[in-house]
């Protein structure tokens, strides 16, 4: 797909005026309020566990982002560094080279864009080209400058629970009381950001399913989604295609492959929506969008708005 076909990226193309005029704040405010949102995953990486390498080129990444929009994603989450267990670290300049042009093009096309990064420099560069949200999985190991950046720019910020980094977090999955400890550590992080000047309304909490957690920890956290919602912040849940779902669906002792876990992911999306989650982060948008619409109708006793896809 040629970049010239993407609004705002070719020499003779421009985004629709209404999209150009829409501010970051307006785009955020126009997200649906009557149901759980769906965040589509866009990995501009070489080694993500599910689709690493498929969208590593800028053109392929932009094309997939547009496909996610067409499928009904409310937010596109663009990441340039895999954070799966034991993944290699990516230099910040390489990460930025991967994601900044993709973010710029998708914003020009009218998308609400989140950036999955742990690096202040990448986050700042993406905010400069229109990113709406920073989704930081760093947790307890966040970069010291991140709170100041989020306070200064005022963008919404996903604050996720994680101990260690992608290469050490597996050894830190030890809890006596999973929900209590994750809650205490998340709220301590929240307080750090608020003390740095971040408005509590900017903060979105993510309990960090699969990050320094094993399968029993993940199920405990998911069962406690209402508890996390009750902490007073929007809550993001990310289970998509993760290993604990693959092992749940074992055939003859073999876990299902990542792309065979979308039905299970959609089930967790429906249950998360039923529990009041603000958003679910998924690879397969269509199944989870249908799931959250059903959950919304179930909760309200009527069909949810926004059921049609482009």
């Amino acid at each position: 797909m040629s970049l010239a076909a993407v609004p705002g990226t070719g020499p003779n193309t421009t985004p629709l005026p209404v999209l150009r005029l829409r501010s970051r704040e307006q785009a955020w405010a126009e997200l649906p309020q009557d149901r759980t949102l769906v965040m589509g995953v866009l990995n501009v990486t070489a080694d993500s566990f599910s689709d690493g390498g498929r969208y590593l080129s800028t053109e392929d990444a932009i094309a997939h982002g547009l496909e996610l929009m067409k499928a009904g994603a409310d937010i596109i989450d663009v990441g340039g560094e895999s954070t799966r267990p034991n993944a290699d670290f990516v230099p910040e300049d390489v990460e930025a080279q991967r994601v900044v042009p993709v973010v710029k093009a998708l914003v020009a096309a009218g998308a609400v864009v989140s950036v999955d990064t742990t690096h202040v420099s990448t986050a700042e560069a993406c905010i400069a080209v229109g990113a709406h949200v920073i989704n930081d999985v760093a947790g307890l190991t966040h970069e010291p400058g991140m709170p100041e950046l989020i306070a200064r720019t005022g963008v919404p910020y996903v604050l996720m629970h994680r101990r260690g980094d992608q290469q050490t977090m597996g050894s830190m999955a030890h809890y006596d009381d999973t929900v209590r400890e994750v809650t205490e550590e998340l709220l301590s992080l929240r307080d750090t950001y608020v003390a740095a000047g971040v408005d509590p309304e900017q903060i979105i909490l993510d309990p960090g399913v699969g990050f320094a957690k094993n399968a029993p920890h993940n199920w405990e956290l998911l069962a406690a989604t209402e508890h996390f919602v009750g902490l007073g912040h929007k809550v993001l849940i990310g289970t998509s295609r993760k290993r604990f779902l693959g092992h749940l669906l074992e055939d003859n002792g073999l876990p299902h492959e990542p792309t065979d876990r979308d039905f299970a992911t959609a089930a967790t999306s429906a249950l998360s929506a039923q529990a009041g989650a603000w958003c679910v982060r998924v690879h397969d948008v269509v199944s989870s969008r249908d799931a959250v619409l059903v959950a919304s109708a179930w909760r309200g006793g009527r069909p949810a708005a926004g059921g049609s896809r482009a």
Side-chain angles (χ1 to χ4, degrees), residues 35-238:
R35 61 167 172 82
T36 296
L37 303 179
V38 177
M39 177 185 284
V41 177
L42 176 51
N43 290 318
V44 193
T45 61
D47 58 344
S48 291
F49 77 93
S50 174
D51 55 10
R54 290 188 64 187
Y55 312 115
L56 187 56
S57 78
T58 299
E59 289 195 358
D60 288 343
I62 294 170
H64 187 57
L66 296 175
E67 290 170 358
L68 292 171
M69 291 176 66
K70 185 176 181 180
D74 300 295
I75 303 169
I76 310 297
D77 191 46
V78 182
E81 178 180 35
S82 174
T83 52
R84 63 170 175 78
N86 300 311
D88 292 332
F89 297 106
V90 173
E92 293 178 39
D93 61 332
V94 173
E95 181 191 41
Q97 289 167 13
R98 291 174 175 178
V99 301
V100 170
V102 177
V103 170
K104 184 176 182 179
L106 293 178
V107 169
V112 175
V113 178
S114 168
V115 179
D116 181 352
T117 183
T118 64
H119 300 302
V120 171
S121 62
T122 301
E124 187 161 24
C126 289
I127 292 169
V129 297
H132 302 81
V133 192
I134 298 301
N135 179 15
D136 184 357
V137 304
L140 302 176
T141 60
H142 69 85
E143 289 189 354
M146 191 66 83
E148 187 277 331
L149 173 68
I150 301 305
R152 173 165 51 83
T153 59
V155 298
Y157 178 72
V158 179
L159 181 64
M160 196 193 79
H161 180 273
R162 183 183 74 173
R163 295 172 176 173
D165 56 39
Q166 55 259 48
Q167 295 186 355
T168 63
M169 63 184 179
S171 65
M172 299 183 178
H174 302 288
Y175 303 88
D176 294 320
D177 185 329
T178 307
V179 175
R180 179 182 60 78
E181 291 174 52
V182 169
T183 300
E184 290 176 351
E185 291 171 14
L186 262 182
L187 293 182
S188 177
L189 279 170
R190 186 271 316 270
D191 291 346
T192 296
Y193 277 76
V194 171
V198 175
D199 187 330
E201 289 294 317
Q202 292 174 246
I203 295 174
I204 300 158
L205 298 181
D206 180 343
V209 171
F211 290 85
K213 323 286 191 310
N214 59 32
H217 302 141
N218 292 332
W219 291 117
E220 289 177 55
L221 293 172
L222 290 172
T225 299
E226 287 189 26
H227 159 77
F228 289 104
V229 171
L231 297 176
H233 298 273
K234 295 179 176 71
V235 172
L236 173 67
I237 299 292

Side-chain angles (χ1 to χ4, degrees), residues 256-267:
H256 280 201
E257 292 298 317
T259 53
D260 294 328
R261 302 170 190 172
D262 288 332
F263 291 150
T265 298

Side-chain angles (χ1 to χ4, degrees), residues 8-29:
T9 60
N12 299 313
T13 59
T14 57
L16 294 173
V18 66
L19 300 180
R20 185 185 294 278
L21 293 173
R22 193 167 70 153
S23 68
R24 179 185 286 116
E25 293 76 16
Q26 182 181 3
W28 186 251

